[in-house]
Amino acid sequence: MAEALLEVRGVSRAYHSGAGEIVVLKDVSLRIQTGEFIAIIGPSGSGKSTLMNILGCLDRPTGGSYLVNGNATEEMRSDDLARLRREHFGFIFQRYNLMEDLSATENVALPAIYAGVGVEARNARARTLLEKLGLGERTSNKPSQLSGGQQQRVSIARSLMNGGVIILADEPTGALDHASGQQVMEELRRLHAQGKTVVLVTHDAAIAANAPRVIELSDGCIVSDSGGGGRSAQCAEALNDPDLPLARTSRSRLDVVREAAGMAVRSMLSHRLRTLLTMLGIIIGVAAVVSVVALGKGAQSQVESQINELGASTLEVFPGSDFGDPRSAEIETLVVGDANHLGELSYVDSVSPNLSGSVAALQGSRRANTQVLGVGAELPRVRGMRLLAGRFFTEAEVEAHRAVGVIDQKAASALFSGSPIGSTLLLGSMPVEVIGVVGASAFAGSATPTVYVPHTSAASRLLGSQRLESITVRVRDNVSTKAAEVLLRAELQHRHGTNDFFIYNSDQIRKAVMKSSQTMAALVSAIAAVALIVGGVGVMNIMLVSVKERVREIGVRLAVGARQGDILRQFLIESALICLFGGVLGILFAFCVGALSRLMSLGVPFQFTAWPVIGALACSSAIGLGFGYFPARSAAQLDPIEALTAD
Ligand code: ADP
Ligand code: MG
């Protein structure tokens, strides 16, 4: 006896349910030859669909053996079964099982994607098939724009796409009116005449009468088989399909990824709201990371430029034992005399005593709270300050306790509308003549408007205290700061008789600031990482929901021959792309915030650099892959028949 195309040997199928085992197929044996047209008939629940799913390699028997072309399917891996479904079988379902987001052409072409056929070749063939089925005008319609009969003809075209020789139709007319049903049966008869092997499941005897061989199932057993017998080899010759495009036997990795990315983008575009919601966590996370890093960077370079303003070779003398010494406020031994004495030393370039207080300033009708700094005439040299207008006060003016002042830019814009030079400013109760304007200086307290006055007038007329807060010393350029510090310490110790002061050099200040900004950066990075992980968990959640929602889509893809790897790749790439696009949107969002803050001159220093942006994109894609893996794997491991019958 010739080898049968399909052979079912004593197959049984049982389901485990809560109570026990339900046996749906009982020891069914059946041989189907090439070119047969078979109707399987039986009452509802008799096991017809179960048998059909086993024939189509969508389901596996629990007992017995099923052979395709003489090859036993029991030992096959899921990818081998997928290849059989892709190359040998075409499915037609009662409920059509078309994908709502795809056009008729794309639905028909779907099986060819998994066979590795290029997009143009497969679409051309899909259109030809649709034309042959009388749908030449409907190629770009979505399923919802087609009648039931038309949808079923689209699904017939899909079953022919890869040129499989066996058409399996499970109640193909079950959801159609009489006329559409007749049309579908007409197509099936025609396919049989062309040499296809057709297996039709129906509960309707009139439909079954179309087939030369009728097998009747009842309660999981074959109760009658009208025999028929297959047609022989000559039919196989009639089975030529002229415009079947060549499937590439080995698909290049790039092609595979490109197809998967194309499908992912389609699915993202057809569910825009869902996609946006999925992205939201990543958008916020990446925007937070990028703008916080830019802020940190901006603040750091602001501080650095302020430190550099200080000059490399200055020493700052403070009263007390160190910053935060509670007694330092009571120590009154650091005095102007010390400053004058230090100024005369050979290795000292220039010196300024400093004292400060906060005072309300009045100019016309304008008021501002200002920081008043009592300093020496040499301060611009000590600090390397630049004058923007006017002049700084002289040594003579300092000695004469003159009420003159130099204001910084912040004070100028807070208190004056025109040029401030020559105007009089009321500082507390002291009228001060404004003689110069300097750029805003960090160490004068960058946030508040600042007024520099001679330390003599500040002490006697404004603050009422002779106590200095610090002395700033600029060391000569050719003298080492370290050596100068040692000498200075000895000098002051000798004058005071005790060590009631401490000295900081600008390097130490720089290091202290750097260290605190590094700590900040580490902290900020940790927060950013948490934000991104939270975003990733969000993506994983919504992808899991999305997989649940798309179970039928996955079932259809598996039925037309998608491998597990194809499904895994599709969902993985989808979540990676969602995160990548989310990352791009997040970066744009951060840029907008930066631009807005500049436009509104909020004084928040955003400084965007390339690496955090690139890093954020890389991170978000990686998060997409990482957190998308679990949902993608759960999609790929779905059982085809469970997926197809899900609601
Ligand atoms: P038909 O297509 O002939 O109407 P089916 O093959 O769909 O019948 O189903 C046969 C029997 O198997 C029915 O009684 C059905 O309830 C049962 N059945 C089908 N699928 C499952 C399943 N996943 N779990 C348990 N029982 C099932
Ligand atoms: Mg059924």
Side-chain angles (χ1 to χ4, degrees), residues 468-532:
L468 292 186
E469 276 159 27
S470 69
I471 301 172
T472 312
V473 179
R474 178 171 168 178
V475 179
R476 275 195 205 281
D477 285 346
N478 55 356
V479 178
S480 120
T481 318
K482 275 222 170 68
E485 191 180 330
V486 173
L487 293 171
L488 215 65
R489 176 158 308 176
E491 197 69 42
L492 275 178
Q493 213 155 0
H494 180 69
R495 269 180 72 85
H496 290 191
T498 158
N499 202 351
D500 58 355
F501 59 92
F502 64 96
I503 303 177
Y504 257 69
N505 64 43
S506 44
D507 244 23
Q508 282 171 302
I509 294 176
R510 195 194 315 270
K511 279 194 190 119
V513 171
M514 288 301 179
K515 194 170 168 211
S516 77
S517 82
Q518 273 161 7
T519 314
M520 268 302 284
L523 202 69
V524 158
S525 307
I527 292 169
V530 169
L532 275 178

Side-chain angles (χ1 to χ4, degrees), residues 118-394:
V119 60
E120 264 138 51
R122 67 175 186 248
N123 283 344
R125 174 169 164 86
R127 277 191 294 271
T128 314
L129 286 170
L130 284 170
E131 264 162 39
K132 281 188 180 167
L133 284 155
L135 291 168
E137 310 283 292
R138 299 280 187 273
T139 53
S140 52
N141 287 30
K142 298 266 170 74
S144 58
Q145 301 163 322
L146 296 170
S147 73
Q150 288 170 330
Q151 289 187 59
Q152 195 57 296
R153 275 181 284 153
V154 171
S155 96
I156 293 176
R158 181 179 63 191
S159 74
L160 301 172
M161 185 64 201
N162 281 350
V165 292
I166 307 149
I167 306 295
L168 303 175
D170 191 351
E171 309 255 12
T173 60
L176 300 178
D177 59 74
H178 185 71
S180 305
Q182 285 303 312
Q183 231 176 345
V184 165
M185 286 315 298
E186 182 55 44
E187 289 302 339
L188 289 180
R189 274 198 300 272
R190 209 161 56 89
L191 291 172
H192 172 239
Q194 284 169 8
K196 300 272 187 200
T197 306
V198 179
V199 181
L200 166 75
V201 160
T202 181
H203 60 269
D204 182 342
I207 298 282
N210 282 287
R213 180 180 175 193
V214 179
I215 294 169
E216 196 182 340
L217 266 188
S218 176
D219 208 13
C221 299
I222 295 182
V223 291
S224 78
D225 184 346
S226 69
R231 286 187 291 176
S232 50
Q234 91 239 3
C235 297
E237 276 166 45
L239 215 162
N240 54 351
D241 206 339
D243 45 0
L244 186 67
L246 270 182
R248 273 169 248 154
T249 44
S250 67
R251 304 184 293 170
S252 85
R253 211 157 255 283
L254 187 69
D255 279 339
V256 169
V257 170
R258 196 186 301 134
E259 290 289 358
M263 283 190 272
V265 170
R266 285 201 75 94
S267 139
M268 286 160 66
L269 286 178
S270 48
H271 300 98
R272 290 195 180 86
L273 184 65
R274 184 179 74 196
T275 308
L276 191 73
L277 287 177
T278 315
M279 283 179 184
L280 208 55
I282 294 291
I283 295 178
I284 293 170
V286 168
V289 170
V290 170
S291 48
V292 156
V293 169
L295 259 179
K297 196 93 189 150
Q300 190 176 347
S301 61
Q302 219 174 38
V303 168
E304 270 171 37
S305 75
Q306 286 161 0
I307 293 173
N308 289 339
E309 210 175 86
L310 192 70
S313 50
T314 56
L315 297 169
E316 197 93 10
V317 184
F318 299 94
S321 58
D322 202 344
F323 292 121
D325 179 353
R327 291 172 302 115
S328 64
E330 293 148 26
I331 297 172
E332 307 226 336
T333 48
L334 198 65
V335 291
V336 177
D338 291 329
N340 292 340
H341 177 75
L342 295 179
E344 276 153 25
L345 297 171
S346 61
Y347 50 90
V348 171
D349 178 281
S350 45
V351 162
S352 171
N354 309 302
L355 39 88
S356 70
S358 86
V359 176
L362 201 63
Q363 208 287 314
S365 60
R366 298 201 194 196
R367 272 184 74 88
N369 281 319
T370 59
Q371 185 182 34
V372 172
L373 294 184
V375 297
E378 283 188 316
L379 185 77
R381 176 151 181 87
V382 174
R383 288 266 164 93
M385 287 161 77
R386 271 170 297 113
L387 269 165
L388 301 177
R391 61 178 184 85
F392 212 76
F393 37 81
T394 62

Side-chain angles (χ1 to χ4, degrees), residues 381-450:
R381 176 151 181 87
V382 174
R383 288 266 164 93
M385 287 161 77
R386 271 170 297 113
L387 269 165
L388 301 177
R391 61 178 184 85
F392 212 76
F393 37 81
T394 62
E395 202 60 60
E397 284 169 322
V398 173
E399 265 161 36
H401 293 235
R402 288 286 302 279
V404 287
V406 174
I407 61 178
D408 75 345
Q409 269 172 312
K410 284 228 168 62
S413 58
L415 292 164
F416 295 92
S417 45
S419 163
I421 309 287
S423 324
T424 303
L425 191 63
L426 197 62
L427 276 186
S429 58
M430 174 171 87
V432 167
E433 187 197 346
V434 177
I435 57 168
V437 180
V438 293
S441 166
F443 287 87
S446 53
T448 26
T450 303

Side-chain angles (χ1 to χ4, degrees), residues 15 22 24 43-51:
Y15 290 107
I22 313 168
V24 176
S44 177
S46 56
K48 305 182 298 292
S49 295
T50 306
L51 177 58

